[in-house]
Amino acid sequence: MKNYGYFDDQNREFVVTCPQTPYPWINYLGSEAFFSLISNTSGGYSFYKDARLLRLTRYRYNNVPTDAGGKYFYLRDGDTVWNPGWQPCQTELDSYACHHGTGYTTISSVKNGLKAEQCVMVPRGYRAEVTKLTLTNESEAEKKISLYSFVEFCLWNALDDSINFQRNYALGEVELENGGSVIYHKSEYRERRDHYAVFAVNAPVDGYDTDREAFMGLYNGFGKPQAVTEDKPRNSVVHGWAPIGSHNIRRTLQPGESVSFVFVLGYCESPRDQKFVAPGVINKQDAHTLLAAFQSVLQFDEKLLELKEYWEKLLNHFTIQSEDAKLNRQINLWNQYQCMVTFNMSRSASYFESGIGRGMGFRDCSQDLLGFVHLIPERARERILDVAATQLPDGSAYHQYQPLTKRGNSDAGNGFNDDPLWLIYAVEAYLKETGDFAVLDVMVDFNNDPSLAAPLKEHLRRSLRYTTSHLGPHGLPLIGRADWNDCLNLNCYSEEPGESFQTVSSHDTGIAESVFIAGMFVGAADSYAQLFTLMGDDAEAAYASAEKDKMVKTVETYGWDGEWFLRAYDANGDKVGSGECDEGKIFIEPQGMCIMADIGIDNGMAQKALDSTREHLLFEYGVVLNWPAYRSYHLNLGEISSYPPGYKENGSVFCHNNPWIVIAETKLGHGDLAFDVYRRTAPAFIEDQELHRTEPYVYSQTVNGKESFTPGEARNSWLTGTAAYNFVAASQAILGIRPQYEGLMIDPCLPAHLKTVTVRREFRGTEFTIEIHNNAGGEKGSVSLVVDGEPLEGQVIPVTEATKKTCSVQVTIA
Ligand code: BGC
Ligand code: NOJ
């Protein structure tokens, strides 16, 4: 078992110790509007707000070798050419380490006594990626170094950039300043764009290049740029073809001497009526302001410190100290960090999502918010309003919207009948976190049309009614194109090769029903009823409660298979996820969702369903989605059966739904069993980094299942609802710290090995220190609370305007 890196808890970093990781291990820089993806070998790209529409630099997905394209520094020391990140020259390094931290990455390497440290960040408040490159001569002799920087510009629209070459090769334009220290990429600025990119270094240069072929040589790869191998910058000015930015700087370093440079890659704008200062000469005001902030190493260091402090403060909103170091590191940093990334990216840009295919998901955003809302509630509020504004007047939803325009589109389909209910879950989470009921009266568009605007609570009303007005023959919710499982397409019937299951026209005959949505509806209707009671609308609350009770009965009658909850009825009215089926007998999702909604807890169904889940779905690396996996294509089931057995929605551990089982186990009070499921997918608990393949510090969407060829191997890291739901499972179900409309509930369900746990949590302006003493072992036990020295009736600590700013809670579990 080879290890490629380790957690540095003290410095809040994951340290990669070898460049040839089993897959590129990346980090995300930026958490506001400017974003960069950076791999441990300095691959990746940058964009402003929208990975598809405002892409600054190019990246080549699915390339050979992998991870081709990035922000590279070439160092020429004598005849040796190398890169601090090893790629793309692949010159063997004497030492290498890549530190992925909170919004920054530092790669530092040594070759032949020359040390290079490349520290990259997206500073807060700036639309730029800024790099400090420090070179130190650690040898005994003088060194003459020739340094080349490199970025390749994208012509903004990443989709067009990768297909429309007849146009693209004519467009490229640049401008230079300060003898080439400052390179402006201004393609399309002459016409409808009011923005340009800048790539600059804070030092005079000895040459530059802006034409890719002049720099590389037409037949060379990134690893053999002719300007570097010949040590001769071409001083090229590109016209069309492929614009790049490259600076050449030559320095002589005495033994022990060090030199640092600051490189800025920025996104800049001009007012539309002041785009040019002379014919053809762009207005560089915005860039000058940006560059002035990063003229010195001191300025860089200040901004880096500020960034680290920002994250430290943010992560302080929820911290834990316990006997389990892996759990601590999972909660205190990596899980929350990933929640921020999924909140920002939704499913748009990763090393598996091209930034072109998918935007902000309606369901995805709503779910991601559950794990993010405690960090920056104001941003969660804004997101809720954005998402709700794309909802359609009948309560249904576009499956996604574009981040830049914030308008819904059907590129990823629509008609996913669970979508509307996620809005209720998101608003519930926001209200429970903040108590900001005023948000319910904010006027929000339907379908981005201001003439259709209505108060947010009306959006919730239509969400709820969308389900109650779309019920099937058994009284269960109609599934539409699919539910949470995008690939369970019971109404699509696709026979055309290559057709997208998301957009193929749906043959919805009003028969196919989802038990998953039924469970989800019960959960939503319950919190909806509580909410409307609080708002004084008893009639609406009574309506929701009655519908909820009806749905519970329907699930118990038609959604129960004898040993577990059924998954669905297909368009023929036949069962899916039943013991009667040959394949796909049992599915994880309805077990999790129904029990989370408290269905079957009082009558033994829930316990049976969880026993069956353990028996049929659980294995070493988690709980698989369905079993047995489908072995052939089923027209009536759709995309799920398009995947080979054990992969993706067809029998992998689809990590996102594992925490549902964790939460379900805690509903029945099984602390040990809950934790057992939790640790199987939690990154900090991964033992075999080589087998796992993707980053061992964040969740991946799937881990190949027991029926696959490589059980335990993960794919599709970073952008997955797994992050949010695991944070909910760990913080609210296992640790039991649960925001309620009225206050903070403390209801832990711990595994036996956690005996003393201290949680610090900020909640509505109060800093809670919660010390839990677990004397009950691995089953739940009874919980009693002493709040600021006074015993408390019940488990909810009321929080009002008048509440003190600190609060200490002693929790005893007997
Ligand atoms: C994938 C799903 C994904 C969907 C979204 C499918 O091909 O398997 O996991 O959610 O596409 O477009
Ligand atoms: C990925 C999507 O982003 C998520 O919303 C969905 O629920 C899963 N795929 C399952 O299909």
Side-chain angles (χ1 to χ4, degrees):
M1 245 195 296
K2 182 168 177 203
N3 255 355
Y4 296 85
Y6 62 91
F7 292 94
D8 178 347
D9 298 327
Q10 202 62 40
N11 291 310
R12 290 198 178 79
E13 291 174 344
F14 187 88
V15 185
V16 188
T17 49
C18 164
Q20 301 96 332
T21 44
Y23 206 70
W25 286 358
I26 73 165
N27 193 11
Y28 283 84
L29 313 180
S31 58
E32 296 165 300
F34 188 103
F35 299 100
S36 294
L37 281 64
I38 179 169
S39 72
N40 61 304
T41 56
S42 204
Y45 59 97
S46 301
F47 57 94
Y48 177 63
K49 282 191 178 170
D50 191 311
R52 172 167 174 174
L53 298 177
L54 290 175
R55 180 91 61 112
L56 269 86
T57 59
R58 277 198 183 130
Y59 186 73
R60 291 169 179 75
Y61 281 87
N62 198 16
N63 216 271
V64 182
T66 191
D67 200 16
K71 326 294 174 38
Y72 296 136
F73 292 103
Y74 299 88
L75 294 166
R76 225 195 124 93
D77 173 11
D79 287 336
T80 309
V81 177
W82 60 284
N83 316 97
W86 181 68
Q87 288 276 47
C89 292
Q90 305 190 348
T91 306
E92 203 184 318
L93 302 171
D94 298 335
S95 81
Y96 160 93
C98 166
H99 301 244
H100 283 318
T102 49
Y104 67 90
T105 286
T106 306
I107 301 176
S108 62
S109 313
V110 179
K111 177 73 187 173
N112 297 343
L114 178 65
K115 179 173 179 194
E117 189 175 273
Q118 173 188 349
C119 178
V120 196
M121 66 166 163
V122 171
R124 293 196 39 82
Y126 293 90
R127 300 186 291 208
E129 174 191 291
V130 189
T131 304
K132 179 174 81 171
L133 181 73
T134 304
L135 305 177
T136 308
N137 182 357
E138 293 185 335
S139 77
E140 307 282 292
E142 178 183 287
K143 277 183 180 293
K144 286 193 174 13
I145 309 297
S146 185
L147 155 73
Y148 291 81
S149 67
F150 175 82
V151 304
E152 183 180 11
F153 294 110
C154 178
L155 303 179
W156 300 111
N157 182 322
L159 177 61
D160 235 43
D161 185 71
S162 58
I163 53 180
N164 198 5
F165 304 107
Q166 58 80 26
R167 172 174 160 85
N168 296 346
Y169 285 165
L171 293 180
E173 287 190 295
V174 294
E175 258 182 62
L176 298 165
E177 219 179 27
N178 297 356
S181 290
V182 189
I183 297 170
Y184 294 93
H185 173 230
K186 58 171 188 177
S187 301
E188 288 194 344
Y189 184 87
R190 64 167 57 247
E191 29 113 0
R192 291 152 298 167
R193 292 191 185 277
D194 307 331
H195 45 262
Y196 54 91
V198 63
F199 182 47
V201 59
N202 68 338
V205 294
D206 295 281
Y208 56 84
D209 271 297
T210 64
D211 180 321
R212 188 184 64 198
E213 265 74 72
F215 178 75
M216 284 295 165
L218 187 55
Y219 295 99
N220 294 343
F222 289 120
K224 249 176 94 189
Q226 69 181 14
V228 181
T229 43
E230 294 168 16
D231 199 12
K232 200 170 107 199
R234 272 33 183 191
N235 296 339
S236 57
V237 178
V238 80
H239 301 283
W241 299 113
I244 61 156
S246 173
H247 310 96
N248 174 234
I249 302 174
R250 292 155 194 257
R251 281 285 198 283
T252 303
L253 292 181
Q254 299 308 320
E257 193 183 347
S258 219
V259 61
S260 295
F261 305 100
V262 181
F263 291 85
V264 178
L265 171 70
Y267 168 90
C268 306
E269 286 175 350
S270 299
R272 182 148 280 199
D273 55 354
Q274 295 163 36
K275 280 176 63 170
F276 297 95
V277 293
V281 182
I282 70 174
N283 176 352
K284 304 180 179 66
Q285 188 51 54
D286 199 25
H288 289 160
T289 310
L290 167 67
L291 297 182
F294 297 98
Q295 276 313 302
S296 70
V297 166
L298 197 67
Q299 286 170 311
F300 179 95
D301 291 345
E302 273 172 19
K303 296 288 172 353
L304 181 63
L305 190 66
E306 211 179 292
L307 181 66
K308 289 184 182 176
E309 285 172 353
Y310 168 79
W311 268 102
E312 187 177 336
K313 215 166 140 218
L314 200 59
L315 293 167
N316 257 332
H317 289 209
F318 197 114
T319 61
I320 169 187
Q321 266 180 304
S322 77
E323 292 97 341
D324 192 327
K326 293 178 179 170
L327 177 68
N328 298 350
R329 111 181 359 139
Q330 191 63 42
I331 298 292
N332 291 339
L333 172 56
W334 291 100
N335 193 178
Q336 297 193 67
Y337 187 61
Q338 189 177 3
C339 284
M340 168 71 102
V341 172
T342 56
F343 178 83
N344 283 322
M345 296 292 124
S346 190
R347 303 296 170 267
S348 66
S350 72
Y351 265 31
F352 296 83
E353 299 281 7
S354 64
I356 294 173
R358 297 212 277 163
M360 311 296 282
F362 190 98
R363 176 205 298 138
D364 297 322
C365 285
S366 305
Q367 282 181 94
D368 293 343
L369 197 139
L370 307 183
F372 172 83
V373 64
H374 70 290
L375 289 174
I376 317 179
E378 309 76 51
R379 286 194 66 201
R381 184 184 207 264
E382 184 191 340
R383 179 61 53 78
I384 285 173
L385 299 178
D386 287 348
V387 170
T390 69
Q391 187 176 27
L392 294 161
D394 71 350
S396 69
Y398 290 113
H399 206 39
Q400 69 165 24
Y401 70 94
Q402 200 58 35
L404 187 65
T405 63
K406 297 189 175 177
R407 298 188 81 86
N409 64 59
S410 300
D411 296 357
N414 46 21
F416 296 81
N417 280 356
D418 64 317
D419 272 341
L421 293 174
W422 287 111
L423 186 64
I424 299 182
Y425 278 65
V427 173
E428 175 197 353
Y430 171 73
L431 291 176
K432 286 185 169 170
E433 182 67 38
T434 61
D436 168 25
F437 289 91
V439 76
L440 295 166
D441 294 319
V442 173
M443 295 294 282
V444 184
D445 298 350
F446 278 100
N447 198 9
N448 299 110
D449 179 347
S451 75
L452 300 176
L456 181 62
K457 62 179 174 236
E458 174 61 18
H459 286 255
L460 302 187
R461 213 185 66 87
R462 294 201 206 168
S463 288
L464 194 86
R465 297 254 178 339
Y466 185 81
T467 304
T468 55
S469 62
H470 289 78
L471 300 177
H474 299 93
L476 292 162
L478 291 173
I479 195 167
R481 177 177 301 282
D483 56 26
W484 174 89
N485 189 330
D486 286 317
C487 300
L488 191 63
N489 313 119
L490 304 182
N491 295 306
C492 292
Y493 287 70
S494 172
E495 292 189 278
E496 283 304 311
E499 195 167 59
S500 154
F501 290 92
Q502 265 77 50
T503 52
V504 61
S505 74
S506 165
H507 307 284
D508 197 341
T509 50
I511 292 179
E513 299 169 300
S514 161
V515 178
F516 170 87
I517 302 181
M520 195 183 170
F521 174 80
V522 170
D526 193 41
S527 64
Y528 182 96
Q530 283 182 48
L531 179 58
F532 277 77
T533 305
L534 283 175
M535 290 194 295
D537 189 342
D538 292 335
E540 185 64 9
Y543 168 79
S545 292
E547 291 296 322
K548 176 198 127 184
D549 293 344
K550 241 198 304 183
M551 192 62 80
V552 171
K553 290 212 176 57
T554 310
V555 172
E556 288 173 354
T557 313
Y558 299 108
W560 179 248
D561 194 56
E563 299 290 324
W564 54 79
F565 292 102
L566 196 69
R567 180 62 177 87
Y569 289 93
D570 70 11
N572 301 315
D574 292 333
K575 293 176 180 172
V576 180
S578 157
E580 293 166 18
C581 306
D582 294 335
E583 301 175 330
K585 288 175 185 291
I586 171 170
F587 280 68
I588 187 175
E589 305 107 317
Q591 323 312 327
M593 204 32 100
C594 291
I595 300 172
M596 285 200 292
D598 293 333
I599 304 174
I601 293 192
D602 51 354
N603 60 16
M605 285 180 176
Q607 187 57 61
K608 255 194 189 167
L610 287 177
D611 290 344
S612 302
T613 301
R614 286 191 79 76
E615 183 181 344
H616 302 297
L617 301 178
L618 184 83
F619 86 122
E620 197 177 344
Y621 300 104
V623 185
V624 296
L625 191 146
N626 58 316
W627 175 86
Y630 296 104
R631 306 226 149 232
S632 56
Y633 179 57
H634 296 259
L635 198 57
N636 60 322
L637 300 177
E639 184 168 352
I640 186 169
S641 61
S642 74
Y643 291 112
Y647 300 89
K648 287 285 279 181
E649 277 87 343
N650 189 21
S652 79
V653 179
F654 209 99
C655 300
H656 185 157
N657 48 39
N658 275 233
W660 301 347
I661 300 300
V662 174
I663 299 171
E665 289 287 5
T666 65
K667 288 266 180 185
L668 295 181
H670 304 320
D672 270 337
L673 293 183
F675 198 84
D676 176 57
V677 173
Y678 173 78
R679 63 146 185 93
R680 285 176 202 244
T681 56
F685 292 77
I686 290 166
E687 273 162 14
D688 190 339
Q689 297 181 346
E690 188 139 41
L691 169 68
H692 185 79
R693 246 190 124 166
T694 56
E695 296 89 335
Y697 38 92
V698 291
Y699 288 100
S700 289
Q701 184 193 55
T702 65
V703 172
N704 296 343
K706 53 184 176 174
E707 296 182 71
S708 75
F709 287 95
T710 45
E713 182 196 76
R715 294 180 190 176
N716 195 1
S717 52
W718 284 97
L719 303 187
T720 163
T722 313
Y725 252 110
N726 269 300
F727 190 71
V728 171
S731 62
Q732 300 194 26
I734 296 177
L735 299 172
I737 318 238
R738 263 196 312 277
Q740 300 292 301
Y741 292 126
E742 318 80 32
L744 194 59
M745 181 176 213
I746 315 286
D747 186 30
C749 180
L750 299 177
H753 77 283
L754 295 183
K755 298 201 168 53
T756 324
V757 181
T758 306
V759 175
R760 224 191 121 275
R761 201 219 197 265
E762 288 172 24
F763 181 66
R764 300 193 200 168
T766 296
E767 191 185 308
F768 287 86
T769 307
I770 304 158
E771 237 183 77
I772 312 174
H773 303 278
N774 176 21
N775 308 316
E779 289 289 313
K780 186 161 183 175
S782 68
V783 176
S784 52
L785 306 185
V786 175
V787 178
D788 284 333
E790 299 288 328
L792 183 87
E793 268 304 301
Q795 288 174 253
V796 181
I797 308 170
V799 179
T800 60
E801 291 290 318
T803 310
K804 297 199 301 344
K805 291 294 158 207
T806 59
C807 180
S808 128
V809 188
Q810 293 290 324
V811 185
T812 312
I813 310 178

